[in-house]
Amino acid sequence: AVCGSRREPVLGSAAVQAATAMLLSAIRRGRIPREIVFAVAKGLYGRSKRCFKLASIRVMKELTFNYKMRHKLHGKMRTFWVVRMNSAAREYGLPYSRLIC
């Protein structure tokens, strides 16, 4: 099919499988599409928001950090919950471990 001055290849099943495998390997290696990198890097300082190489490094670090902090938050909330429940249970002469059992 012809689109403007560009020719688009006709994709057969083998070509589609190869493109899918290439995309998956890029994702496994941690390569994020350019548009997404610059969308995430929008609020960064200096060249990290304009230069693709620097932006991709900073974005990978930022996304990894955000993932860790989201999952760390659940543990903190659980600890906070246990502390509050323990202090409330001790007012009635009952430790938290006995309250839960």
Side-chain angles (χ1 to χ4, degrees):
V2 176
C3 178
S5 63
R6 267 186 163 177
R7 271 194 193 179
E8 295 177 13
V10 178
L11 296 177
S13 62
V16 171
Q17 288 175 353
T20 305
M22 197 165 72
L23 176 65
L24 289 177
S25 66
I27 290 171
R28 281 191 205 114
R29 282 195 310 254
R31 185 188 166 281
I32 305 171
R34 191 177 192 88
E35 298 82 24
I36 295 173
V37 168
F38 285 124
V40 173
K42 200 168 192 171
L44 296 180
Y45 181 77
R47 277 197 318 162
S48 297
K49 65 182 169 190
R50 295 185 303 271
C51 179
F52 178 71
K53 186 175 181 181
L54 294 175
S56 62
I57 293 169
R58 288 286 304 273
V59 163
M60 285 299 290
K61 285 186 179 180
E62 185 178 346
L63 292 175
T64 305
F65 176 77
N66 289 341
Y67 176 83
K68 285 184 200 171
M69 293 311 290
R70 272 198 316 273
H71 288 82
K72 197 178 242 188
L73 179 67
H74 299 301
K76 285 183 179 179
M77 292 306 286
R78 182 186 170 105
T79 304
F80 183 64
W81 166 261
V82 170
V83 168
R84 290 199 50 182
M85 289 296 292
N86 191 19
S87 62
R90 283 185 187 273
E91 287 182 4
Y92 296 98
L94 191 66
Y96 177 77
S97 59
R98 291 232 181 115
L99 174 71
I100 294 303
C101 288

